[in-house]
């Protein structure tokens, strides 16, 4: 157990800090970069790639910085950017780029990776369908090969960013007679292909952060496929893993917890700070123990990753527990605000721009999305604890 | 000994529910919400024809003269339909305040109008529960100065009942000089809460409330009970919708309700919710018939329904999966209504502390 | 809604009160009567039967009082005995007598009911087996007909009172080739039949309130069966219903809650009463809301019963919620006692004779016993909410 | 940066676990419990040979000189085996008190003996956390009078460390005049707590604790951390046992672990428990290496493990069904050990309040 960093890393951290100090003012405001396409973001991203703070391990030949993988350095970069409150860079769409690098053809790597990490090519994901949520592999959007083209018909849902995206990576059924996991292919195509219609999908928060995307006789060149025909399910699983890892991030938990403490210190009932109410304080403390546990659990995963060890249970639980914990923090925030906790939109007297009310709903969406809590528990039970799957059954 | 709804109460419940199902369906609610309408005129008119606005107002003041259990059945039905109408403030809290503390003239002047639907009252008592943004409401020579937040049904009101720092209750005309109203946007678009700023506004005290906090407390009790019943109705339909969805939605070649995890989520919601119905019946019955127990039961009804409502709102949404998170099924209207009910007139932690005080703990 | 009782019941209550006042001193101390066989208990039970406060609706010809069923009068009797702190009577073994009355032969009714309700014939129940818990119908204790006798071999568990019992009612497999629910018979026989061995079963509370009972070539006359051969499962279901109803009784919940309040008022930390600690008080209040809800729910069931209406969900939830609530009350009691909450057995400084520590464990046993929480939730989901059963599956 | 056990720590953990699995299996524990043996002599001797009793005692006092993370690994292993040995009081809390506040002579006199297993210490600090039955312990001219409840490892002790009302710590010989000891029977038969009545008993103060509460607080912190680690071990094995039982037990022609309800109970236990391991590692590491954070982390470790432990103890028992409720599988030994850990040295509600105070909340 040694929580200090050795000299190489201490130096690296200093270098990052110096970079941030010098360049902070050039950084665009707001949330992380991919999916957005303004010039300031692109310039910033290019600067970061140049210094190795974005696309760090992506080979130079495809437009990246080309460093050896070093999880601690990644961690230091993320930490320092978070502390400085500077928007971090990205490695292109984190769901797509690793897949292209691992399974794409040489031609695809050259054509796709560079523009994507520079922010010139923005992607959306076409996986879920209205009838295929937890049971994603039952998807029914079809692609039929006609000559040199796939002809795609069907509907996707939860396609966030589809209205701004240049490209989509999409799971489609190409082998309708094969067992469900073996009949899927992973296609990539332009969003301005004729026959694609994007309709905003309003959620309970009142915002349209997602879309429904409809395909009517969309024609896509035959070679715009990653991996082989019928192997799309296995191609996609690599990307699902990447998405899952990002939910329940302990840095985010800690940041939210700090905001929550601030609120309990500054808000008052009848002139008395909320943190002096034992019942609210006790709930805060229970959450603190969980946040600290998840922070420590995160360090354990990080260490396992640096050693190429499998973190096991420590990793499996992150999504389930992290999302629930975020939701509970939002719930406490709303509770302590009392009547103020129901204000919304552009109402006066909003605290933190209404983020708690919004998060309370959004976090519930995240508990459901990317594998519901029930699916997570199945996975923990079966994959981490080795409990048997449900027996085979007759369809009902 | 009969702990059950009477035949008349079942008829009342049926007729309101049937009316709302046909005239206040989700499309109507959505339309009202999207246009920022918090008092849906046709529905309010329809309820008026059913006598709802005068439900607890005595017959001599042109009301229906029923009790709080009847009123709770109405509130439950309105919660089931997330109806955008000013029932809790205008039809319950304001009459309670007037009946408890109004002069004979005041009762005669306002109760028949409320019962007839000719006036809508907003009720501002939040500052007497917990002050957060405000510094109180002072009365001086028949004029009020200060700020009342979260005035229930205040957006569409013609008249207001406002509590001052001593807990005395006042009638205030919304259009009087020195009264400024601002709509407070909340998560729940089916109900209206307003901020009322008073700058030396003319006000008429309800005399019975001048040296007695009891009328204020009764007004708050009545509002809390109705909020609890509203949550019961909203949670009940969220359970029903979850069960229906679980019977219909298929994943992995099975309806999801055949999965033990989903089945147990539904069972847990039902288990939490079912005794709440009896609790509210008892609390509502107690208001007139077991007054010694009424405040304690009202506190528990509001606090407990807040907790159970939150659990059901979350769990039902989870049963609906991604669909529950979208606007497509409109499930969030109930989710948010339950959310608002929880926070108005005191969040559960504060109300439980009052339940302790009531018992001398 | 009318919580008052009409004149007939007011008079009846007065009559019960007068009886209790006059006879209280003759009542034996301690818990309910059946399963115990001392003379004082028998005399008391006979007095109660004579006045109609026990075995009230059992026909006179079989030794009961012979009154018409009246749920409110039963309720008044139970309530007044509870208020007076007097041990109530019983209607014989409440699991067995209704079954004999409903499905027994005339001869069985005469032979069994009278002695049972007088306390001269004590019963134990032989249902569960080590391999058959939630899946009771998979039981494997066998009875084979040899001439005029059943020959029984196998093992039962949870046979409470077996060491004192005169008789056992027992589920055995008589049709090994029939589907599992159709191969069971309901036999009754003496506990002093040769081949029966009773071994005490110690539980986590440290007490042996249950037993394991072993049968080795136990020979029982052929006619000692209730209902027909192979129909034992359906005979038993009637009795299971009776057992289930008794768990989660709201009177018991209220009594325990009152004790809990007393403790929080009398116990102190550093001189300050526990009820003044906001966090303990808040937990107490949360429990109070639940106890009150269950009390009201109980009144609703009672009313439905008096009207011969099906109480539906209100009844289905009682066992699940009542047992959990008892457990939570015990948990709070232990918590507020701090270090004193772990004392046990005959330790000094015990509060309430250690009942909270014992209940904390016993209540967990009751959450499991008589249908686990999981089985209860299945039943609520399937029977009350109409959700489908799990699909048929291949055995694994 | 390495947040992981070192190779040496893994070896330590392995060797203790292997020793206990072979020499302190359930049969041994049961035998000791049924005979009211709270210090199983062979096991205590075996642990002595592994150097456990001197694990945190410096090498110059004949100890092993390891840190608190090593000690926590031992406590966790002892919890896994519900080992009936006086580790927490005698091998951890007493040395911490001596090291923090003892004179050089006291350290020289007692630390080597503790390390060698020649003396067992009981530690009585309960009254400094919460007084319930007692009225405090007064010191007067080197004599102590009063009553110390729940003296950890006090049953088998030769020597005691007792805190007086001012938080000063004293060495007391169990056999001195004016000392009466009574065994307090608890739910957990694998550990020993005693009541010590002092009537003018001779006592020797640890000088560093005379005007400084820090040695007392450090002693309590150390005890709490070990109790938390003990719960981690006990809960961990309850999870393991539940998973094993769920894989083996059949009902309805299926192993019960294939039922989603049972599977999810196991998953929920694992989810709650897994981050606790990291929390305790961090807290234990902090004792020497991040002293500013140590008390807060210790408080959270004890309180959080108490809550998670209770959940796991209940849930694992439920997964075992009726068998979990019997003595046959012995599961209750862990259940009760977790129960005792929760209550000793402060129940979670009180400890969280201290965590608040530490942060100035």
């Amino acid at each position: 157990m040694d929580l200090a960093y050795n000299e190489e890393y201490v130096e690296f951290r200093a270098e990052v800090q110096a970079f941030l100090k010098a360049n902070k003012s050039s950084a665009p405001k707001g949330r992380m970069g991919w999916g957005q396409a303004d010039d300031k973001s692109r310039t910033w991203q290019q600067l970061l790639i140049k210094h190795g703070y974005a696309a760090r391990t992506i080979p130079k030949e495809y437009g990246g910085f080309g460093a050896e993988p070093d999880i601690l350095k990644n961690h230091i970069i993320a930490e320092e950017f978070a502390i400085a409150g500077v928007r971090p860079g990205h490695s292109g769409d984190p769901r797509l780029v690793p897949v292209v690098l691992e399974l794409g053809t040489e031609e695809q790597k050259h054509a796709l990776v560079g523009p994507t990490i520079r922010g010139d090519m923005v992607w959306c994901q076409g996986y879920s369908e209205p009838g295929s949520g937890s049971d994603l592999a039952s998807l029914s959007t079809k692609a039929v090969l006609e000559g040199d083209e796939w002809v795609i018909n069907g509907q996707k849902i939860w396609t966030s960013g589809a209205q701004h995206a240049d490209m989509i990576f999409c799971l489609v059924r190409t082998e309708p007679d094969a067992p469900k996991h073996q009949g899927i292919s992973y296609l990539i195509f332009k969003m301005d292909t004729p026959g694609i219609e994007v309709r905003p999908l309003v959620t309970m928060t009142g915002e349209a952060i997602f879309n429904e995307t409809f395909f009517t006789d969309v024609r896509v060149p035959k070679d715009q496929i990653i991996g082989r025909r019928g192997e799309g399910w296995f191609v996609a699983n690599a990307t699902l893993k990447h998405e899952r890892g990002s939910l329940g991030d302990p840095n985010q938990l800690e940041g939210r917890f700090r905001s929550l403490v601030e609120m309990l210190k500054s808000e008052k009932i009848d002139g008395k700070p909320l943190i002096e109410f034992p019942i609210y304080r006790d709930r805060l403390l229970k959450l603190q123990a969980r946040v600290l546990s998840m922070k420590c659990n995160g360090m354990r995963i990080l260490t396992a990753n640096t050693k190429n060890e499998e973190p096991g249970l420590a990793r499996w639980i992150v999504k389930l527990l992290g999302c629930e914990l975020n939701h509970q923090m939002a719930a406490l925030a709303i509770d302590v605000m009392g009547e103020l906790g129901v204000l919304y939109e552009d109402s006066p007297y909003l605290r933190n721009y209404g983020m708690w009310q919004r998060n309370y709903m959004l976090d519930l969406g995240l508990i459901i999305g990317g594998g519901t809590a029930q699916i997570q528990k199945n996975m923990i039970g079966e994959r981490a604890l080795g409990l048997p799957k449900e027996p085979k059954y007759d369809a009902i | 000994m009969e702990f059950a709804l009477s035949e008349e109460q079942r008829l009342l419940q049926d007729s309101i529910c049937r009316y709302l199902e046909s005239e206040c369906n989700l499309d109507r609610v959505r339309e009202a919400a999207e246009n920022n309408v918090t008092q849906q005129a046709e529905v309010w008119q329809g309820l008026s024809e059913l006598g709802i606005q005068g439900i607890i107002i005595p017959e001599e003041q042109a009301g229906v003269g029923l009790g709080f259990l009847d009123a709770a059945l109405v509130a439950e039905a309105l919660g089931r339909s997330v109806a955008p109408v000013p029932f809790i403030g205008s039809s319950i809290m304001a009459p309670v305040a007037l009946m408890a503390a109004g002069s004979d003239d005041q009762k005669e002047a306002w109760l028949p109008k409320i019962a007839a639907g000719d006036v809508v009252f907003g009720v501002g008592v939040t500052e007497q529960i917990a002050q957060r943004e405000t510094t109180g409401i002072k009365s001086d020579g028949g004029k009020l100065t200060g700020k009342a937040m979260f005035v229930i049904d205040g957006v569409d009101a013609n008249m207001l009942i406002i509590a001052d720092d001593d807990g005395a209750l006042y009638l205030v005309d919304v259009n009087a000089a020195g009264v400024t109203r601002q709509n407070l946007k909340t998560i729940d678009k089916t109900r209206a809460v307003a901020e009322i700023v008073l700058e030396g506004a003319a006000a008429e005290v309800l005399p019975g409330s001048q040296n007695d906090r009891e009328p204020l407390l009764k007004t708050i009790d009545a509002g809390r009970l109705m909020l609890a019943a509203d949550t019961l109705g909203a949670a009940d339909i969220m359970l029903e919708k979850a069960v229906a969805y679980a019977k219909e939605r298929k994943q992995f070649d099975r309806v999801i309700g055949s999965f033990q995890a989903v089945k147990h989520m539904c069972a847990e919601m039902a288990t939490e919710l079912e005794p709440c119905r009896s609790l509210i019946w008892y609390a509502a019955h107690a208001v007139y018939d077991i007054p010694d127990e009424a405040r304690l039961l009202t506190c528990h009804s509001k606090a407990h329904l807040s907790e159970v409502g939150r659990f059901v709102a979350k769990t039902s949404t989870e049963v609906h999966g991604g669909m529950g998170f979208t606007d497509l099924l409109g499930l969030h209207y109930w989710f948010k209504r339950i959310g608002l009910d929880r926070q108005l007139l005191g969040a559960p932690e504060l109300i439980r502390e009052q339940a302790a005080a009531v018992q001398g703990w």
Side-chain angles (χ1 to χ4, degrees), chain A, chain B:
Chain A
M1 185 73 61
D2 177 9
L3 304 186
Y5 288 84
N6 71 23
E7 208 175 328
E8 179 189 352
Y9 296 108
V10 171
E11 274 169 25
F12 183 73
R13 190 184 289 277
E15 181 195 311
V16 178
Q17 286 168 341
F19 170 84
L20 283 167
K21 203 173 164 190
N23 295 284
K24 194 173 173 169
S25 59
S26 325
K29 302 293 169 213
R31 294 201 307 153
M32 207 173 80
W34 66 263
Q36 301 181 359
D38 59 295
D39 285 345
K40 188 162 188 185
S41 297
R42 281 203 201 89
T43 313
W44 177 243
Q45 172 73 3
Q46 278 163 25
L47 183 70
L48 294 182
I49 295 174
K50 193 179 136 201
H51 284 80
Y53 303 147
R56 183 172 174 80
T57 56
I58 290 172
K60 275 222 160 90
E61 55 190 305
Y62 308 128
F65 180 74
E68 284 299 299
D70 186 325
I71 288 159
L72 283 183
K73 286 190 179 165
N74 290 346
H75 183 71
I76 288 168
I77 295 169
E79 215 168 59
E80 291 301 327
F81 274 70
I83 291 167
V86 172
R87 187 205 281 182
H90 57 85
S91 297
D93 190 307
R95 305 163 301 185
L96 174 90
V97 170
V99 169
V100 175
L101 286 173
E102 195 178 329
L103 299 165
T105 62
E106 202 51 37
E107 203 182 336
Q108 285 169 335
K109 291 183 201 177
H110 279 286
L112 304 175
V113 175
T116 302
I117 62 178
R118 285 193 302 274
D120 295 334
M121 185 184 280
V122 173
W123 293 82
C124 65
Q125 172 180 286
Y127 283 5
S128 296
E129 299 181 6
S132 307
S134 291
D135 183 13
L136 179 59
S138 69
L139 58 90
S140 65
T141 292
K142 265 185 212 154
V144 178
L145 204 54
E146 290 185 10
D148 277 350
E149 288 180 327
W150 296 105
V151 182
I152 306 172
N153 281 284
Q155 180 192 352
K156 294 288 173 182
I157 195 171
W158 309 116
T159 40
S160 53
Q163 70 275 45
H164 311 298
D166 303 300
M167 296 284 290
I168 185 168
F169 54 100
C170 192
L171 291 180
V172 293
R173 187 158 301 283
T174 49
E175 266 65 27
D177 300 327
K180 68 180 178 180
H181 294 92
Q182 290 162 35
I184 296 169
S185 298
Y186 188 107
L187 302 187
I188 49 172
F189 48 95
K190 288 189 178 171
M191 282 298 283
D192 62 3
T193 314
I196 300 180
E197 188 197 351
V198 175
R199 289 186 211 156
L201 177 68
V202 177
T203 70
M204 68 194 298
T205 68
E207 302 152 307
I209 41 180
F210 299 101
N211 299 283
E212 296 178 282
T213 301
F214 298 82
F215 306 107
T216 311
D217 292 332
V218 175
R219 294 185 167 264
V220 170
K222 188 180 168 182
D223 61 349
Q224 295 198 196
I225 183 169
I226 305 226
R228 274 184 295 193
R229 180 175 172 160
E231 292 185 355
W233 180 254
F234 310 98
V235 175
N237 265 333
T239 66
L240 274 179
K241 205 163 64 184
H242 285 274
E243 188 181 22
R244 200 171 287 138
S246 67
L247 291 168
D249 170 29
N251 282 321
Q252 190 200 30
L253 293 175
E254 280 192 270
R256 288 221 199 163
F257 183 77
R258 274 193 298 271
S259 307
L260 187 55
V261 173
E262 279 317 305
M263 167 139 65
L264 270 97
K265 286 181 173 176
S266 59
E267 293 289 317
K268 298 181 173 73
I269 294 179
D270 299 338
K272 182 172 149 184
L274 291 170
I275 203 152
E276 294 178 18
F277 287 74
I279 295 162
Y280 293 136
R281 186 171 59 215
D282 193 56
R283 278 176 66 186
L284 185 71
L285 286 156
K286 282 183 177 171
L287 291 172
Q288 187 177 36
R290 290 185 171 277
V291 171
L292 284 170
S293 302
M294 290 304 282
K295 175 188 160 180
C296 300
N297 190 67
M299 290 195 284
R300 192 156 152 231
I301 296 172
L302 182 66
T303 299
N305 287 341
T306 61
K307 295 178 168 185
N308 264 321
E309 290 171 3
E310 170 53 46
L313 256 177
R315 179 172 65 82
W316 283 106
I317 60 161
V318 170
K319 197 259 170 181
L320 179 63
L321 212 53
C323 289
E324 181 60 35
L325 192 45
N326 268 331
H327 185 69
Q328 285 179 19
M329 283 195 273
L332 177 56
I334 287 172
D335 284 356
V336 301
M337 281 191 276
E339 287 84 356
L340 297 172
V342 297
L343 296 173
Y344 205 51
E345 296 182 0
D346 58 349
S347 183
Y349 310 115
L350 277 185
R351 305 300 199 254
N352 296 92
Y353 310 99
M355 73 167 246
W356 296 110
Q357 288 88 327
R358 182 173 179 276
N359 282 347
Y360 182 67
M361 296 185 266
L362 204 55
D363 292 337
L364 181 53
L366 293 176
I367 288 173
I368 294 166
T372 66
Q374 289 65 50
I375 297 289
Q376 298 293 325
K377 289 179 193 175
N378 280 352
M379 289 200 308
I380 293 167
E382 291 163 15
R383 301 200 202 166
L385 302 177
L387 290 166
K389 285 180 177 284
E390 289 206 68
K392 285 187 191 153
Y393 43 78
D394 309 330
I396 57 170
Chain B
M1 213 310 286
E2 178 161 326
F3 188 86
L5 300 184
S6 66
E7 196 49 36
E8 293 75 18
Q9 284 164 335
R10 289 192 202 202
L11 285 172
L12 171 72
Q13 197 176 35
D14 276 3
S15 67
I16 295 169
C17 285
R18 248 182 305 127
Y19 170 75
L20 290 169
E21 270 162 33
S22 104
E23 300 303 313
C24 186
N25 57 30
L26 185 58
D27 290 341
R28 280 279 176 90
V29 171
R30 197 189 284 279
E31 191 194 332
E34 284 171 3
N35 293 299
N36 292 315
V37 172
T38 47
Q39 179 181 332
Q40 218 284 354
E42 292 93 21
V43 177
W44 191 232
Q45 175 60 29
L47 291 173
S48 176
E49 282 155 22
L50 290 165
I52 294 312
Q53 284 132 20
I55 190 158
I56 60 162
I57 293 173
E59 289 175 77
E60 48 268 41
Q61 271 106 14
V64 185
L66 292 176
F68 276 80
L69 180 48
D70 309 275
L73 296 175
V74 173
E76 184 188 341
L78 295 172
R80 283 182 72 87
S81 291
V82 282
V85 290
F87 174 73
I88 293 179
S90 189
S91 310
I92 301 295
M93 294 177 77
V96 166
L98 284 161
M99 293 190 293
S103 66
D104 288 348
D105 284 354
Q106 286 168 333
K107 289 182 201 171
E108 281 307 320
W110 296 111
L111 290 174
K113 282 194 185 158
I114 293 175
D118 292 339
V119 66
V120 167
F121 264 87
V123 180
V125 294
T126 301
E127 286 62 40
Q128 286 298 304
I129 296 165
Q131 287 191 16
R132 292 174 186 263
E133 269 290 336
T134 52
T135 51
I137 294 163
K138 319 282 175 215
S139 65
D140 184 15
K143 308 240 178 226
L144 290 182
T145 298
K147 192 160 69 174
M149 299 268 290
F150 299 96
V151 175
I152 294 181
D153 298 335
V155 173
D156 304 291
N158 324 102
M159 285 295 295
L160 303 167
I161 289 180
I162 304 279
D164 76 0
D165 284 356
D166 299 320
L169 298 164
Y170 296 82
L171 293 168
V172 177
D173 187 325
V174 172
N175 298 311
V179 178
T180 317
R181 166 162 61 189
Q182 182 174 16
N183 185 0
L184 292 176
K185 281 195 203 165
T186 74
I187 49 169
D188 177 9
K189 291 184 176 298
T190 68
R191 274 184 309 185
V193 291
E195 175 194 358
I196 302 286
V197 178
L198 302 157
E199 293 170 288
E204 185 186 315
V205 75
L206 302 187
S209 69
Q210 265 183 306
N211 294 302
D212 185 0
R213 289 181 65 84
E214 197 54 32
L216 168 71
L217 296 178
K218 280 212 169 90
T219 305
I220 293 172
D221 285 348
R224 286 177 175 169
L225 189 55
M226 293 303 121
L227 288 170
D230 190 88
T231 291
L232 174 65
D236 207 37
I237 207 149
M238 286 195 86
L239 166 61
E240 277 176 27
K241 283 176 184 285
V243 170
Y245 192 77
K247 285 179 184 173
E248 170 203 308
R249 166 82 171 175
K250 279 195 177 191
Q251 290 281 276
F252 305 103
D253 299 322
R254 295 163 56 173
V255 293
I256 60 171
S258 72
F259 285 101
Q260 222 179 7
V262 174
K263 187 179 291 171
H264 286 195
M265 288 164 94
C266 292
E268 285 162 14
M269 284 191 273
T271 302
E272 289 289 314
L273 198 54
E274 190 57 22
C276 292
R277 186 178 310 282
S278 306
L279 179 67
I280 285 184
W281 286 2
Y282 189 72
H285 176 71
V287 174
Y288 288 155
D289 291 274
I290 325 170
D292 283 357
E293 297 183 22
R295 184 151 300 140
L296 176 64
L297 284 159
T298 296
C299 286
H300 275 313
S301 295
K302 171 70 160 73
H304 187 53
L305 263 294
S306 295
E307 307 289 15
V308 171
R310 171 176 277 181
F311 170 73
V312 171
K314 181 186 179 207
T315 308
S316 172
T317 306
E318 282 192 73
V319 168
H320 283 83
M323 278 300 121
F325 182 61
T326 69
D327 180 55
L328 296 170
L329 303 178
L331 195 73
H332 64 94
Y333 283 105
W334 288 272
F335 182 97
K336 291 167 179 172
R337 185 123 172 176
I338 290 170
L340 188 73
D341 287 340
R342 179 183 175 99
Q343 309 299 106
L344 287 186
L345 298 177
E349 289 81 5
L350 298 182
I351 295 188
R352 280 195 294 270
E353 281 296 271
Q354 189 183 342
V358 166
Q359 300 174 85
W361 292 358

